[in-house]
Each structure stands twice: as structure tokens, then as C-alpha cells.
Amino acid sequence: LGNRLLDDDIDLLFSSSLSLYTVVLYYDYFLTLIPEITLFWAYPFSWPSFFFYLTRYSSIILFVPIALEFFGTKLTYQAL
């Protein structure tokens, strides 16, 4: 019984921190979207803009497999 409670607490802590990270990530994205449009989209593509887009969108795109891995495993585990 004690190990089960500890596992549930760890799962709750991990899912809460993952949810918080998701909220902060997308909040930051939408908060800076208007400056991005005015400062980067209005000008021709260049190396600095390439690195900007790489760093900006890689965090959003690469977060999806992490979330799917955690929540997909969680859904499979709960179904058993």
C-alpha cells in the first residue's frame, strides 16, 4: 500500500510539472507572437531568422513527443 501511494504521488507530481511546463511554453509563444510577426515575418529570410525559427519552434515541436510518451503510457497503464 505504501509503494502504491508513493507511485501515485510521483505520477501526480510529474503530470503537474508537465502541465505547468506546457502552459508556460504556450503562454510564452502567444505572448511573443505579435513581436515575432512584426520583426521577423516582414523581412526576407536570412541566417539569423533561420536560427530564430529553429530555436523558437523546435521547443514547441519537440515537446509533443514528450507529452505523448508520458500521457500515452499513462492512458495504457490506467486501462490495465
Side-chain angles (χ1 to χ4, degrees):
L1 181 66
N3 287 340
R4 178 71 179 152
L5 289 176
L6 183 61
D7 289 342
D8 289 342
D9 291 340
I10 291 171
D11 289 342
L12 178 64
L13 179 65
F14 187 70
S15 64
S16 298
S17 63
L18 187 64
S19 299
L20 179 63
Y21 176 72
T22 305
V23 168
V24 170
L25 177 69
Y26 289 106
Y27 174 74
D28 178 62
Y29 172 75
F30 286 113
L31 188 66
T32 58
L33 184 61
I34 300 299
E36 175 188 343
I37 291 171
T38 58
L39 295 174
F40 284 93
W41 292 8
Y43 296 102
F45 190 75
S46 64
W47 280 108
S49 63
F50 167 76
F51 288 115
F52 171 78
Y53 292 129
L54 180 70
T55 57
R56 178 158 171 88
Y57 291 103
S58 64
S59 63
I60 293 171
I61 293 169
L62 295 176
F63 177 72
V64 172
I66 294 169
L68 288 176
E69 176 67 27
F70 175 72
F71 289 116
T73 306
K74 196 66 172 168
L75 292 174
T76 305
Y77 175 73
Q78 287 180 350
L80 297 175

